[in-house]
Amino acid sequence: MSTPQDFTVLISVYSGDRPDLFRAALQSIADNSLAPTKVLIVVDGPVRTDLDEVISQFEGDFRTFQVLRLPENRGLAAALNAGLERVETRYVIRADADDWNERDRFAALMAKLSEGYDLVGSAIVEVNEDGTAYASRVPPLTTEDIRAFARRRNPFNHMSVAYRVAPVRACGGYPDFTFREDYALWCLLLQGGVRSCNLDTPLVRATAGLGMIRRR
């Protein structure tokens, strides 16, 4: 049986997310082979009743699931930064509200972070909204290749990333760059000299569509 590790799964949800995909995303977190210390769900403003029912179910069924409700929609960067203020663990593993986390995702990321890395991501499989896989994205793997790639494009799959909290807080958290919050943060961290890598194993099944466009 796995034991809780020193990490928080941070996930944001807003009114535009689909309840069925959100439920599946939370279930994949609950079913992961390595249990987190906490799962922090940031609710970015008022949400529909069907989304609220999913949140209440998981908050009631799992003691590690906790909810932070923002009174109004503030956007992804602000929501994630509000969540970061509540994080008490050394590490954060990010998750998105419409993506499926493979069962060993958390274990794989934590194993790499334990080697001294500050920022770790992975390959992903892109799927249609019915779950059918149609593509994969393998990012650059080494710190050197990540730095070079970052000059042109985002070197991480946002929904796959885990990081040490201290350097993220030191650079001010997620910058408020609409649609590029994650890319901007990675650039700040890389400029600060963090040790980073990506795993070539797909650890997330990422749902395509408007959500994928937003993350890209």
Side-chain angles (χ1 to χ4, degrees), residues 14-15 20 25 40 48 50 53 59 64 73-74 77 100 107 122-123 131 142 148 150 164 186 193 198:
Y14 81 117
S15 61
D20 57 334
L40 181 56
R48 304 188 313 271
D50 49 4
E53 289 173 351
E59 185 181 20
T64 55
N73 181 268
R74 296 167 56 187
W100 178 268
S122 77
T142 67
R164 190 163 61 88
W186 314 149
N198 278 301

Side-chain angles (χ1 to χ4, degrees), residues 28 32 99-109 120-127 133-139 141 157 159-161 198-207 212:
S28 72
N32 236 257
D99 297 332
W100 178 268
N101 303 278
E102 298 293 353
R103 178 170 171 75
D104 293 324
R105 180 192 173 207
F106 302 162
L109 293 174
V120 179
S122 77
I124 62 172
V125 172
E126 297 178 353
V127 301
Y134 70 91
S136 62
R137 182 172 187 249
V138 181
L141 303 182
N157 293 312
M159 70 295 293
S160 77
V161 165
N198 278 301
L199 303 175
D200 59 4
T201 303
L203 297 178
V204 177
R205 294 174 63 84
T207 304
M212 178 69 74

Side-chain angles (χ1 to χ4, degrees), residues 140-161:
L141 303 182
T142 67
T143 297
E144 294 74 18
D145 288 344
I146 287 169
R147 289 181 183 278
F149 194 87
R151 298 188 184 100
R152 307 185 307 276
R153 291 177 57 192
N154 193 335
F156 292 94
N157 293 312
H158 169 72
M159 70 295 293
S160 77
V161 165

Side-chain angles (χ1 to χ4, degrees), residues 12-152:
S12 175
V13 62
Y14 81 117
S15 61
D17 285 314
R18 277 179 45 177
D20 57 334
L21 296 177
F22 182 48
R23 184 186 299 277
L26 294 184
Q27 192 63 55
S28 72
I29 293 171
D31 291 342
N32 236 257
S33 62
L34 186 64
T37 304
K38 181 189 297 185
V39 179
L40 181 56
I41 304 171
V42 182
V43 185
D44 188 14
V47 294
R48 304 188 313 271
T49 300
D50 49 4
L51 274 171
D52 213 22
E53 289 173 351
V54 176
I55 295 166
S56 297
Q57 176 196 335
F58 280 85
E59 185 181 20
D61 289 350
F62 301 96
R63 287 183 298 174
T64 55
F65 280 67
Q66 299 181 15
V67 178
L68 170 61
R69 294 181 182 272
L70 304 182
E72 59 184 9
N73 181 268
R74 296 167 56 187
L76 183 59
L80 294 177
N81 287 334
L84 278 171
E85 292 178 3
R86 299 289 187 92
V87 169
E88 299 176 345
T89 54
R90 186 179 183 189
Y91 299 103
V92 156
I93 293 179
R94 277 281 291 115
D96 271 356
D98 53 3
D99 297 332
W100 178 268
N101 303 278
E102 298 293 353
R103 178 170 171 75
D104 293 324
R105 180 192 173 207
F106 302 162
L109 293 174
M110 289 303 297
K112 207 65 182 175
L113 287 167
S114 71
E115 296 177 12
Y117 287 94
D118 302 296
L119 176 61
V120 179
S122 77
I124 62 172
V125 172
E126 297 178 353
V127 301
N128 293 317
E129 292 186 350
D130 64 1
T132 303
Y134 70 91
S136 62
R137 182 172 187 249
V138 181
L141 303 182
T142 67
T143 297
E144 294 74 18
D145 288 344
I146 287 169
R147 289 181 183 278
F149 194 87
R151 298 188 184 100
R152 307 185 307 276

